[in-house]
């Protein structure tokens, strides 16, 4: 049963990690999708086809465009009512991953000269019109950039692409302009709902791509004066006002302090480095799980510790998150198991990250279903019930959820190593058997997570019943 309701504003956090920082040579692109807790996510696999749709027509905006008939297969995490848009994150069968999108905002000055286009390319359209038609991360940037220039942007967004060789992040600027940068191998990048890029070297095509008029447009309209200094993309094109101080600055500041405690910077001054190095020298999957659970833990600004839903500092982990994903590329492995999307449904702080291998052909049905009304059959709602119960008394119930899911993630990490060893031993000589093992392993692991969530729901409800009874005893003398 579907209930109609008004949606929340979209807002996300992105972390990108270079291959020299992960400890094993992998690269990772990660983002939380912070939108509306009622927007149930369906996990889907789209098959490769030579006879795909020749036109994309958005359901959630006015955008439409032609499409190539040949479409690669790909995984997606769309909202329940928009299966052919809002794909969010995943890999295609060519081994390219995309994360779409980080909502950002251009400055009023830039928009005055090149406004957003009402029926242009909106955030909801940037995944399903790009990922199925690209074979490299760079090609993803080029296709998306060409679409921005041709159709115009309907709103501001940042989008990432990752493959076996490179990781790229693109930020659009006003209606028809954009800049993309290749993420350095020895640094990490953090952003939260604000354009972060500064430097642009037009001659350095290895590390920068942009529309051809990016600089001349800025100079022509007084957004940048070459006589006053080097071009700064953020200063020229991006919104930066008082609202950013508690909503965006704090997340970038907090995550950079988490990874690089030695860094000294003022939370109220937007001079945060675009790229930074961690003090530990390591940011892997475990560190990123922890980062997306960040809520200024244990400080005066921790909204959950202090039961304060009106805390002005916006944390990374919020209840209305629909999903968080970690796109990991391990180039030394076959793509089927070397490319993984770790996904946590709902709020990461009270959720569990589950591995989705590129090579799977389907998800258990529970992950494919559900709408905006709670369901016992939907995986999204099974996980959402756990976090909703835990939030009724965070300090009392959250430790149980965190401990249970930490144990499950550790077990899954070990199971993955064992499975991958078995897969590598047979995939060349017995590819069909290897594929069957991959699908069976994925199904078993994802179904086991549902069992754990169900067990947690019962335990939490038991504790809540007991605690409620204590408050309303009314027993005799």
């Amino acid at each position: 049963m579907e209930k109609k309701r008004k949606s929340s504003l979209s807002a996300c956090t992105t972390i990108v990690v270079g291959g020299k920082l992960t400890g094993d040579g992998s690269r990772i692109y990660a983002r939380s999708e912070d939108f509306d807790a009622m927007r149930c996510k369906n996990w889907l696999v789209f098959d490769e086809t030579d006879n795909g749709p020749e036109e994309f027509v958005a359901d959630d905006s006015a955008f439409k465009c032609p499409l190539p008939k040949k479409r690669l297969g790909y995984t997606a995490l769309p909202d329940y009512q928009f299966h052919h848009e809002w794909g969010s994150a995943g890999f295609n069968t060519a081994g390219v991953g995309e994360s779409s999108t980080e909502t950002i905002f251009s400055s009023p000055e830039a928009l005055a000269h090149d406004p957003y286009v009402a029926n242009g390319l909106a955030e909801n359209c940037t995944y399903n019109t790009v990922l199925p038609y690209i074979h490299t991360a760079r090609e993803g940037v080029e296709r998306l950039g060409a679409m921005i220039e041709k159709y115009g942007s309907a709103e501001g967004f940042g989008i990432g692409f990752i493959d076996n060789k490179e990781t790229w992040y693109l930020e659009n600027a006003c209606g028809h302009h954009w800049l993309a940068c290749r993420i350095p191998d020895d640094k990490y990048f953090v952003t939260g709902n604000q354009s972060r890029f500064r430097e642009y070297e037009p001659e350095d095509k290895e590390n920068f791509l942009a529309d051809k008029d990016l600089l001349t447009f800025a100079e022509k309209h007084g957004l940048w004066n070459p006589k006053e200094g080097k071009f700064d993309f953020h200063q020229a094109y991006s919104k930066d006002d008082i609202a950013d101080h508690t909503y965006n600055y704090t997340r970038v500041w907090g995550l950079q302090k988490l990874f690089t405690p030695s860094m000294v910077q003022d939370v109220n001054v937007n001079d945060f480095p675009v790229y930074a190095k961690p003090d530990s020298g390591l940011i892997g999957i475990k560190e990123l799980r922890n980062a997306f659970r960040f809520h200024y833990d244990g400080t005066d600004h921790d909204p959950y510790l202090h039961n304060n839903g009106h805390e002005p500092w916006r944390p990374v982990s919020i209840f209305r998150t629909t999903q968080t994903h970690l796109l990991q590329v391990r180039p030394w492995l076959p793509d089927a198991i070397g490319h993984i999307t770790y996904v946590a449904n709902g709020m990461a702080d009270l959720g569990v990250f589950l591995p989705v291998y590129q090579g799977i052909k389907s998800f258990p049905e529970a992950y494919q279903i559900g709408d905006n009304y709670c369901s016992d059959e939907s995986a999204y709602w099974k996980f959402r019930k756990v976090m909703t119960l835990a939030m009724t008394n965070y300090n009392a119930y959250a430790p149980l959820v965190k401990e249970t899911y930490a144990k499950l993630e550790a077990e899954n990490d070990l199971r993955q190593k064992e499975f991958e060893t078995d897969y590598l031993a047979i995939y060349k000589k017995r590819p069909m058997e290897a594929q069957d093992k991959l699908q069976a392993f994925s199904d078993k692991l994802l179904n086991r997570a549902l069992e754990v969530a169900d067990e947690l729901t019962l335990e939490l409800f038991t504790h809540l019943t007991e605690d409620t009874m204590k408050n309303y005893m009314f027993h005799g003398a």
Side-chain angles (χ1 to χ4, degrees):
M1 179 167 55
E2 181 177 326
K3 305 288 187 181
K4 292 186 178 180
R5 61 187 305 279
K6 187 176 180 180
S7 297
S8 306
L9 291 175
S10 179
C12 308
T13 303
T14 293
I15 307 172
V16 191
V17 184
K20 293 182 179 180
L21 303 182
T22 56
D24 61 2
S26 67
R27 283 176 292 107
I28 308 172
Y29 189 106
R31 179 175 63 89
S32 63
E33 184 177 284
D34 309 327
F35 193 62
D36 183 333
M38 307 304 290
R39 284 285 191 109
C40 171
K41 283 291 176 180
N42 296 167
W43 298 16
L44 303 177
V45 177
F46 291 89
D47 293 331
E48 188 167 342
T49 178
D50 290 327
N51 193 32
E54 296 183 68
E55 184 179 39
F56 175 88
V57 179
D59 292 324
D60 199 27
S61 73
F63 181 73
K64 61 181 179 180
C65 71
L67 295 173
K69 288 190 68 173
K70 184 174 178 58
R71 184 191 73 189
L72 295 168
Y74 65 104
T75 56
L77 307 171
D79 294 348
Y80 69 92
Q81 75 276 54
F82 301 122
H83 280 187
H84 293 279
E85 57 182 69
W86 286 113
S88 299
F91 285 94
N92 67 22
T93 48
V96 184
E98 180 178 350
S99 176
S100 172
T101 76
E102 178 80 31
T103 303
I104 61 176
F105 303 90
S106 296
S107 69
E109 294 79 12
L111 291 172
H113 302 290
D114 181 23
Y116 292 134
V117 179
N119 63 345
L121 184 65
E123 293 187 277
N124 59 304
C125 309
T126 54
Y127 187 84
N128 302 69
T129 61
V130 177
L131 184 63
Y133 309 101
I134 58 175
H135 296 80
T136 67
R138 184 180 292 260
E139 188 180 337
V141 170
E142 293 169 342
R143 176 173 172 83
L144 179 58
M147 293 177 71
I148 292 170
E149 294 174 44
K150 180 177 182 178
Y151 301 108
S153 301
E155 54 200 336
F157 48 74
I159 295 175
F161 299 94
I162 187 169
D163 63 20
N164 279 339
K165 295 181 179 180
E166 300 179 310
T167 308
W168 285 83
Y169 182 65
L170 177 150
E171 295 181 341
N172 69 348
C174 50
H176 298 82
H177 300 281
W178 58 277
L179 170 65
C181 301
R182 189 175 69 85
I183 304 299
D185 289 334
D186 61 343
K187 293 183 175 69
Y188 69 88
F189 170 81
V190 172
T191 184
N193 297 128
Q194 191 176 35
S195 170
R196 297 269 291 118
F197 286 155
R198 300 281 187 173
E199 181 183 2
Y200 171 45
E201 299 292 345
E203 304 305 318
D204 184 1
K205 301 297 185 183
E206 182 179 351
N207 295 299
F208 299 95
L209 292 170
D211 71 276
K212 63 182 178 61
D213 297 323
L214 185 69
L215 296 181
T216 55
F217 179 88
E219 183 178 1
K220 176 181 177 181
H221 295 288
L223 305 175
W224 166 57
N225 184 348
K227 296 179 181 179
E228 294 179 357
K230 195 173 182 179
F231 176 77
D232 184 315
F233 179 78
H234 179 90
Q235 287 185 357
Y237 284 102
S238 304
K239 182 185 81 68
D240 199 334
D241 59 29
I242 191 63
D244 292 300
H245 283 243
T246 55
Y247 199 77
N248 303 328
Y249 289 10
T250 52
R251 277 180 286 160
V252 174
W253 175 86
L255 288 173
Q256 289 188 343
K257 292 293 286 184
L258 182 69
F259 295 137
T260 316
S262 64
M263 191 179 299
V264 178
Q265 52 190 16
D266 187 341
V267 69
N268 292 306
V269 180
N270 190 3
D271 60 358
F272 314 113
V274 177
Y275 307 110
K277 292 188 177 184
D279 285 351
S280 68
L282 178 68
I283 303 176
I285 292 296
K286 292 181 180 178
E287 287 75 20
L288 285 171
R289 290 170 183 159
N290 181 52
F292 280 100
R293 290 169 171 142
F294 179 72
H295 48 85
Y296 315 106
D297 305 44
T299 72
D300 290 342
H301 292 283
D302 186 337
Y304 312 130
L305 175 66
H306 302 295
N307 193 29
N308 179 14
H310 299 287
E311 162 59 45
W313 283 24
R314 193 273 211 201
V316 173
S317 187
I318 58 177
F319 184 75
R320 63 184 173 91
T321 301
T322 55
Q323 52 87 9
T324 301
H325 55 267
L326 318 175
L327 300 172
Q328 183 184 35
V329 168
R330 301 178 294 173
W332 62 92
L333 294 172
D335 286 355
I337 64 169
H339 297 171
I340 308 177
T341 308
Y342 289 90
V343 185
N345 264 333
M347 180 185 190
D349 186 50
L350 297 172
V352 59
F353 284 91
L354 302 171
V356 175
Y357 285 97
Q358 179 191 324
I360 63 165
K361 301 300 182 183
S362 65
F363 293 105
E365 184 178 1
Y367 288 85
Q368 302 178 53
I369 63 174
D371 54 28
N372 64 343
Y373 192 79
C374 187
S375 163
D376 287 336
E377 286 73 42
S378 165
Y380 178 89
W381 283 107
K382 286 177 180 286
F383 294 117
R384 181 61 76 180
K385 280 190 286 187
V386 170
M387 57 195 66
T388 301
L389 285 169
M391 287 296 287
T392 63
N393 190 339
Y394 182 90
N395 291 305
Y397 303 152
L400 170 63
V401 176
K402 289 171 172 285
E403 181 181 348
T404 302
Y405 282 157
K407 180 180 179 182
L408 181 58
E409 287 176 351
E411 291 175 354
N412 287 346
D413 289 344
L414 292 175
R415 290 191 179 103
Q416 284 181 257
K417 290 180 180 179
E418 293 172 355
F419 157 71
E420 289 171 8
T421 299
D422 292 341
Y423 180 94
L424 290 172
I426 65 170
Y427 84 100
K428 288 184 177 179
K429 294 182 178 180
R430 304 196 298 276
M432 297 302 294
E433 181 181 344
Q435 177 61 43
D436 289 343
K437 281 183 176 291
L438 171 56
Q439 189 64 51
F441 175 78
S442 178
D443 290 345
K444 183 177 180 180
L445 187 145
L446 294 179
N447 283 325
R448 172 58 183 150
L450 299 182
E451 294 173 0
V452 172
D454 285 342
E455 292 164 3
L456 266 176
T457 298
L458 296 177
E459 190 166 358
L460 287 167
F461 201 90
T462 301
H463 288 307
L464 180 59
T465 301
E466 185 177 21
D467 291 344
T468 303
M469 179 176 66
K470 290 176 182 177
N471 289 329
Y472 297 95
M473 286 294 290
F474 302 122
H475 53 70

